[in-house]
Structures are given as C-alpha cells and as structure tokens.
Amino acid sequence: MQMQTLKFVKKIAPPWAAGSIPIPGGSVYKVSTDWSRADYWGMIKSRVGGFRMNYAVTPGLYAVGEPTQDSDVFVTANYKLSFDILRRELKGMNTWILVLDTKSINVWCAAGKGTFGTDELIERVGASNLDKVVTHRRLILPQLGAVGVCASEVQKKTRFRVSFGPVQARDIPAYVRAGYKKNKEMCTITFSMIDRLILTPMEINPAMKKFPWFAGGTLLLFGLQPQGILFKNAFSGGLPFLLLLLLAIVSGAFLTPALLPFIPFRSFAIKGWIMGLLAILLVVQGLVLVDVHTMPLLAMTYLFFPALSSYIALQFTGSTTFTGISGVKKELKIGIPLYAGAAGVSLIMIVVFKLREWGLV
Amino acid sequence: MKYLANVTTLNYVSEKCAGCGRCVEVCPRGVFEMLDKRAAITDKDLCMECGACAKNCEFGAISVNSGVGCAAAIINSMITGGPPSCDCSDGESSCCG
C-alpha cells in the first residue's frame, strides 16, 4: 500500500523537486540543489554502463531558489547527470533552468549529434513561454553546446541573445560574479587524470564483452589435438594466453588512457602499442609464460598482443577532449593495414605451431 | 595535450572577420584569440575539429570539416558508408552518456 502511494507521488513530482512555483499560465517545479543518495547512485551507474541510456529528466522549465522575471536562464541537456551537476552548482542562486530534449544524452555529445541544437532550443524557448516568464532576453548555454547551437539564428528567431558560459558548471558562480565574463580556464576544456579514469569503465566494458569469444577460441585452439579436444592441453597451453589477452585489454583500455600524457608520441595507436609491448614484455619475460623456444608462439605473442592494445587504445580517441576526426582518420588509414597484417601473420604462426605440435611438419 | 600535427581542416580567413569574438567564446581549446579587434589563430594543432567556431561565425570567416573523432565511429562509417556518428553501438550501451 505504501509502495503504491510512493509510486503515485513519484509520478507527479520527481524526487529531486522541492515544491513548485507559479509562472504565467501554469507552474514549474522548483528543484533541490542537493543530491540525494539516489542521485549519487545514479551517477555511478551511468558512468559504467547501459543505465545511462534512459537516465533522463523531462524537458522544460525549472526553477532554482526564488527566481524572478529578471533572473538568469541556464540551458542544459535532459541527461539527468548533466541536469544534476547544473542544479548542484546553482546552490544559493535564484535562477531558471531550461532543459532541452537531448534524448538523455549529455551536452557535448548531444551538441555533436545536433539534438542539443538550434532548432530544439528555439522550440523549447517557445514551448515554455519563456518570453512571458522573464522580461530580459538572455540565455546562458554551456560552452560545449556551441557545437550544436548557432547563437545568431536563435537570436533571430526568439530575440533571446545566447551567451556561452563556462565549459564546467562548477565555474558558473564565478562567471556570474565576474559579470558574465569568462577567463581562459573557464573557456578551456581540460582532461585530467581523474577525467580520464572516469571514462575507462566504458573502454574496458566493451572490450571485455568480446573476451569470452577470444577465450573460448584460445582454449579450443590449444585443446584441439589429433585425438580430440583435450581439456588438459586446453588449459595448460591456453591459460597463459588468456592472461596475455587480459593484459592487452588492460593496457589498451586502462593504462594508456590513464597515463596518456606521459607516454611518448601523439598517436594513440603508437601509445597503445608501446604500453602493450611493455606490459607483454614484462609479463612474458618475468613470468616465463610462453616457452621461449616455441618460436611461432613467441612471435605471435609479440605481434598480436601489442597490436591489440594499440587498437583498443585508438578507440579512446572517441572519449578525449582534444582529438579530431582528421587525425583519427589518418591513424586508421595507416593502422588498419598494420593491424590486419599483424592478425594475419599471427594466424599463420598459430597454424605453424599446431602443425608442429601434431608432428605434421 | 595535443593530437597529431598538421591534420586539422580548420580554415580561417581573417579578411572576413568582423571582430565579434564568438570564436574565442566558443572554442574549448583556445585556438582563437583577439588581436587588434580581429580573431587570430594561436596554435592550429590545438584544434579538435568540433565545429563550434564555424557554426557560430556569422561572417563565414571560419570553416572546418567537423565530425565525430572516434575510431569506432569512423570504422563503422567505413563499413556502412554513412558519416561517422555516435550511434555505432548495439543500442544497449552507447558510449555517449
């Protein structure tokens, strides 16, 4: 019974709402500037996997504190984490928040897709009667939204002048205090070790999804004997390679992103290859995992695993704040033939190894 | 941190610049600065081709082939033939949050 009541309440007011305030022609929710335990838990879940896909708030106008018709309007995406970060940073202020429908995608990605865009902003300003709620004609957008929003067009269609505020919501109070002026730090996107580490789960997860297939293939390969599939051979021969596989994933999806600025060369493919080679070299030589006399397997180890690490590291270009499409295209143009070559030669080495093992050559 | 040198498609024609300063306001990499009431490029290699400057330059002084600088998206577009987009995943867990 109690659950039902709770559900009902949740349906009318979101849990982060703190009452509502009237506006011309209706009312809007007042939002809390504090995070609940559910908000923190939601942030963690959305950082690691598919939960993020439906982590949304309803688009429209919201109030922070006791805003008036002179109060600032901050625009954001309807990805709940984006919205949560903004409302937290507006603590103690009296402002409006206009949430665009970005299909629960953050500002930067949605601006790239065009959903945090000129048309949606124009439409949302109209739909929320903003011109009756405030008497001024100013909108403050997150700077990274500029990829999708053409300020001059918005002004032409809505008469609202767009200012692109700081990159990070945490700089908003200082930006407002400075008379809506940004310094260089507020304008520039950084990419600290913590920023990079936060992103690594989404590098490791997709790679690990393919791991069972590779693992199965590896065990099958070593288990396959003239007399059938032998489990003993599968595990004694295959396990070291499963470990190397894991190592290549860790080095490409975690070590390379984490240590990015400290690894030489600008190319992500080279960075990933260096980290992969170092990790493999250390483990293979240190633990004597691969019999150094088994030439084809040793060659395969040094050819395949650093290349895999390099390939995975190259995927991280999609998460950084400083790589561009032309550079990634260049890396792929050179890299893909090399990856294909490494994979091809590795395959030949494995065949040679198996033929020798079976005493056929 | 800087990415590969001499690859960006950013093109700026200073003769068309009216000095509004939008490019300085929107570039998250500090590629532009104002010099004598006109925009000037500080270091082209900082550019990540996001396209915010070109989108917001009313005077057509800036052009750049912007797009998703993500290896998975580009590989996907090579296979499917479309432009690189973030919608490359299986739908269950996209990289965009």
Side-chain angles (χ1 to χ4, degrees), chain A residues 274-342:
Chain A
I274 290 175
M275 288 314 285
L277 185 69
L278 285 178
I280 298 294
L281 198 67
L282 216 68
V283 170
V284 170
Q285 301 300 322
L287 302 178
V288 200
L289 270 185
V290 182
D291 183 2
V292 283
H293 302 297
T294 325
M295 214 298 285
L297 278 189
L298 199 65
M300 188 280 274
T301 300
Y302 282 113
L303 209 58
F304 181 76
F305 293 108
L308 181 65
S309 167
S310 163
Y311 179 79
I312 295 171
L314 195 46
Q315 307 297 315
F316 194 61
T317 50
S319 300
T320 71
T321 57
F322 66 99
T323 57
I325 186 166
S326 299
V328 180
K329 274 187 175 163
K330 185 178 177 183
E331 290 216 57
L332 284 171
K333 212 170 140 189
I334 303 168
I336 286 181
L338 290 176
Y339 295 137

Side-chain angles (χ1 to χ4, degrees), chain A residues 5-80:
Chain A
T5 325
L6 269 177
K7 249 184 196 164
F8 184 60
V9 171
K10 203 173 167 185
K11 209 173 167 185
I12 28 175
W16 36 264
S20 60
I21 68 164
I23 59 161
S27 69
V28 296
Y29 286 124
K30 216 167 109 170
V31 303
S32 161
T33 52
D34 293 313
W35 280 23
S36 68
R37 196 172 293 180
D39 296 327
Y40 281 103
W41 184 229
M43 172 186 71
I44 293 168
K45 282 198 286 183
S46 59
R47 289 287 191 203
V48 294
F51 177 76
R52 57 176 58 198
M53 299 314 292
N54 291 306
Y55 199 44
V57 292
T58 310
L61 195 65
Y62 295 90
V64 177
E66 302 292 339
T68 66
Q69 53 190 17
D70 297 320
S71 301
D72 288 327
V73 181
F74 289 92
V75 181
T76 190
N78 84 323
Y79 178 43
K80 181 152 181 295

Side-chain angles (χ1 to χ4, degrees), chain A residues 138-203:
Chain A
R138 303 182 313 266
L139 297 171
I140 302 172
L141 268 64
Q143 188 189 319
L144 294 185
V147 172
V149 174
C150 175
S152 57
E153 210 178 316
V154 173
Q155 189 162 12
K156 239 177 263 166
K157 300 259 170 70
T158 66
R159 314 219 19 222
F160 276 86
R161 184 186 152 77
V162 170
S163 295
F164 293 101
V167 168
Q168 302 281 358
R170 62 166 175 263
D171 290 327
I172 288 174
Y175 166 76
V176 173
R177 272 199 306 274
Y180 306 94
K181 293 253 173 347
K182 293 191 277 187
N183 59 27
K184 183 126 202 229
E185 282 68 48
M186 294 180 192
C187 248
T188 321
I189 189 159
T190 53
F191 203 41
S192 68
M193 171 96 75
I194 290 169
D195 292 337
R196 300 195 301 272
L197 287 177
I198 286 172
L199 295 167
T200 54
M202 286 309 293
E203 300 298 314

